[in-house]
Amino acid sequence: MEKTYHGSCHCGAVRFSADLDLSEGTSRCNCSVCAKARFWKSVVPAKEFQLLAGEDSLNEYRFGSGSIAHLFCRTCGVKPFGRGHLEELGGTFYAINVACLDDAAPEELASAPVTFEDGRNDAWDRAPKETGYL
Ligand SMILES: [Zn+2]
């Protein structure tokens, strides 16, 4: 069921809300940045996302083609979401860090399906051979 969740970084400077359905799935990826950050995401179109506080606290990191803004709190370092633009995903999207949702119950998180992506090999449509460490 789609719900409005509220999330934040660790220190609370960055706060956001996002309308999403955890039972529709989440994903984990083995690309160079997701693997190191252990980023667990749910992707939503820009219209389902709202930044409530902390615009000035966000630092942006880009690498490779530079198409994705990896955003993190300059105080606590936590990465609450990233932002990108892909026509295939309907334009601007946000990749919400599911672990930063403050009002998602442990049961909801535990039962959210996880799709694995082989981002390390630019194969986002299939799972890598090893997923247990992601
Ligand atoms: Zn913070």
Side-chain angles (χ1 to χ4, degrees), residues 12-108:
V14 179
R15 292 187 298 107
F16 65 94
S17 68
D19 297 335
L20 54 95
D21 185 346
L22 289 173
S23 68
E24 289 284 302
T26 61
S27 56
R28 288 185 187 270
C29 169
N30 68 349
C31 82
S32 58
V33 73
C34 286
K36 288 195 173 184
R38 301 186 61 78
F39 198 59
W40 180 21
K41 68 186 181 296
S42 180
V43 175
V44 299
K47 65 178 166 58
E48 311 282 349
F49 174 87
Q50 211 181 354
L51 182 63
L52 303 174
E55 179 94 62
D56 295 346
S57 296
L58 287 168
N59 261 22
E60 187 179 296
Y61 174 64
R62 291 178 188 257
F63 70 99
S65 69
S67 58
I68 307 288
H70 299 272
L71 298 158
F72 62 95
C73 173
R74 71 174 82 230
T75 299
C76 68
V78 166
K79 190 178 162 183
F81 52 83
R83 185 181 59 238
H85 187 93
L86 276 177
E87 292 309 325
E88 305 92 90
L89 291 177
T92 300
F93 66 88
Y94 283 81
I96 308 296
N97 183 351
V98 170
C100 286
L101 297 176
D102 296 311
D103 48 8
E107 295 77 11
E108 286 177 280

